Amino acid sequence: FKNKNILEIGCGAGRFTEYFAKYAKLCVSIDLSDAVFSNVSKNKVNVKLAKANFLDLEAKKKFDIVFCRGVIQHTPDPEQSIKKIHEFVKKNGLVIFDIYKMPKIGLFHPKYLLWRPLIQKLFTYEQFEDFLKKNIYWLLSLKKFLDILFFQKKFFSDCLIPIWDYNKKYKLTKDQLKKLSILDTLDGLYAKYDKPMKYDQVKNILLKNKLHIVKSIKEKNYFCTSV
């Protein structure tokens, strides 16, 4: 990233912007939400922020690196979005992106068949957020109990308790884990679009559009590509 011009698509409050700002010559970071105005790197001289939908932008400027994490699955047409982010990169530049993996049982997962439609019918976003703030600890405890009951097969607890749990994934304080769990649960159950894909689906899209795969991590659905 050193001395590179970077376009960050879906920067949010700056989880990755903070890192890019240390090295980049220029980092242009955009997001569709108001979170962009709270970006932790908003005062850095080499960071330019904008509230924008990348699908509506023209690629008048080309970048050395285009970074797009946690965004593609939340767009109306992931294939078109993958093609679009490659319009912003220079020849021999790099595009780094991911897309949520399709669950093993696909759209038959209770998240799609049961929990999302049921919770959205019973609660507004604000009501469910308030519910989670009041009940997140016992819900996480119940999920932990189910993990033990099902011999740590998290698939079952994920199906039965639609709460995102990062207890053993990140070294965070109890309060930080609570906040992250609430944010990602809301994101997972109230996203306007949620279109995960299998690794081979993404790979076929890239090959069909003559985009070169520099590196990929199949287990994570992470891709580093070039035009």
Side-chain angles (χ1 to χ4, degrees):
F1 299 122
K2 191 174 182 181
N3 296 324
K4 302 293 185 182
N5 290 328
I6 300 172
L7 172 63
E8 181 188 13
I9 298 172
C11 64
R15 176 184 175 190
F16 295 105
T17 318
E18 185 176 17
Y19 183 83
F20 298 146
K22 294 179 182 179
Y23 303 100
K25 179 181 178 181
L26 171 68
C27 179
V28 176
S29 298
I30 64 174
D31 199 279
L32 189 58
S33 76
D34 288 339
V36 69
F37 301 121
S38 301
N39 194 292
V40 294
S41 300
K42 61 185 177 182
N43 295 321
K44 298 288 185 180
V45 294
N46 62 334
V47 173
K48 305 299 179 186
L49 301 170
K51 182 179 177 181
N53 184 342
F54 76 96
L55 295 170
D56 296 333
L57 300 178
E58 284 187 56
K60 291 184 177 179
K61 179 177 177 61
K62 302 285 186 177
F63 293 82
D64 299 306
I65 297 172
V66 174
F67 182 88
C68 184
R69 176 88 188 272
V71 174
I72 301 295
Q73 67 280 341
H74 292 319
T75 60
D77 186 338
E79 180 171 355
Q80 292 302 314
S81 298
I82 291 171
K83 290 166 62 177
K84 182 68 177 181
I85 62 176
H86 285 83
E87 292 179 10
F88 298 101
V89 72
K90 292 178 179 178
K91 186 71 175 175
N92 298 320
L94 296 176
V95 176
I96 301 166
F97 75 97
D98 73 338
I99 183 166
Y100 290 174
K101 284 185 70 175
M102 179 71 75
K104 291 181 180 179
I105 56 175
L107 297 179
F108 290 103
H109 193 286
K111 170 186 171 181
Y112 301 102
L113 279 183
L114 173 64
W115 291 118
R116 178 175 287 167
L118 178 62
I119 288 172
Q120 288 189 15
K121 188 173 183 179
L122 294 175
F123 300 93
T124 64
Y125 181 97
E126 291 76 16
Q127 288 172 337
F128 194 60
E129 181 180 24
D130 188 56
F131 170 81
L132 289 174
K133 286 178 179 177
K134 293 176 180 177
N135 299 284
I136 192 65
Y137 286 128
W138 76 263
L139 287 169
L140 289 171
S141 296
L142 178 57
K143 194 166 186 179
K144 184 178 180 181
F145 171 76
L146 290 172
D147 285 339
I148 296 171
L149 190 65
F150 290 109
F151 306 101
Q152 300 302 324
K153 299 290 184 182
K154 292 186 176 294
F155 171 79
F156 296 104
S157 64
D158 286 343
C159 288
L160 295 170
I161 309 291
I163 303 298
W164 275 244
D165 180 11
Y166 298 102
N167 186 40
K168 292 183 179 180
K169 289 186 178 181
Y170 305 120
K171 293 181 180 179
L172 300 173
T173 66
K174 187 177 180 181
D175 186 57
Q176 288 172 330
L177 285 168
K178 170 189 170 182
K179 289 178 179 178
L180 186 56
S181 178
I182 291 172
L183 286 171
D184 275 12
T185 298
L186 290 167
D187 176 60
L189 295 176
Y190 282 87
K192 185 175 181 180
Y193 303 106
D194 186 359
K195 300 182 178 183
M197 299 179 76
K198 295 179 180 179
Y199 174 85
D200 287 339
Q201 287 179 293
V202 183
K203 184 178 178 181
N204 288 336
I205 289 171
L206 294 169
L207 295 176
K208 183 175 73 172
N209 289 282
K210 297 184 168 109
L211 299 168
H212 177 59
I213 301 174
V214 178
K215 189 174 182 180
S216 65
I217 304 176
K218 187 173 183 178
E219 297 75 20
K220 301 282 188 180
N221 258 13
Y222 291 172
F223 293 85
C224 177
T225 57
S226 64
V227 296

